[in-house]
Amino acid sequence: MSVVAKKYRPHLPTLMSLFEVNYMLLLRVLADKELVGEQRCFFISDFLSYRVQINEVTKYTTLLTINQEANIHGYNLTALFRPKMVIRLYHDARMAEVISNQDVKQIQPRYDYPNDKMHLPDEKQQVNYFLKEWLQLCLQLGQVHINMTKNS
């Protein structure tokens, strides 16, 4: 008797709910940073921080990048260990979606498994859950570096 594995099918309501939660968390993380080039850094510990940078702003969307940066015992490991996500915020739908993660430029909603790149069948959902965890960590434990400027 052979067992045929069922193909993974994304559960759309779960994915849409996750996009909505990430949108709300990102609005809190951005804290009115709305111009291209603006960024916020969240310092979690002496060894770990996250940088959020605005890449593009249009009437209905915002594109941003989140990088994890590590510095252990004086050695900057950023070049070796630097997880990075590109996220698009859809302001009209009030949703945020990871559109690129590390070397994956377009994350598919479903992957056949096994595959050449060893993506999980639910890779899109997993990456967006990971974003949610990053954002929660930044909001719960992160300290924001504020540049003080003197007004003349």
Side-chain angles (χ1 to χ4, degrees), residues 140-151:
Q140 290 172 2
L141 300 178
Q143 297 179 19
V144 178
H145 178 71
I146 300 172
N147 291 328
M148 300 297 286
T149 57
K150 294 181 181 178
N151 295 334

Side-chain angles (χ1 to χ4, degrees), residues 24-26 28-29 42 134-142:
M24 296 308 293
L25 291 171
L26 274 164
R28 290 180 57 201
V29 163
F42 292 85
W134 267 13
L135 297 172
Q136 289 173 330
L137 180 67
C138 288
L139 291 168
Q140 290 172 2
L141 300 178

Side-chain angles (χ1 to χ4, degrees), residues 64-80:
L64 57 91
T65 302
I66 298 180
N67 293 312
Q68 177 178 308
E69 300 175 350
N71 187 2
I72 300 173
H73 303 295
Y75 296 100
N76 187 347
L77 301 178
T78 303
L80 299 174

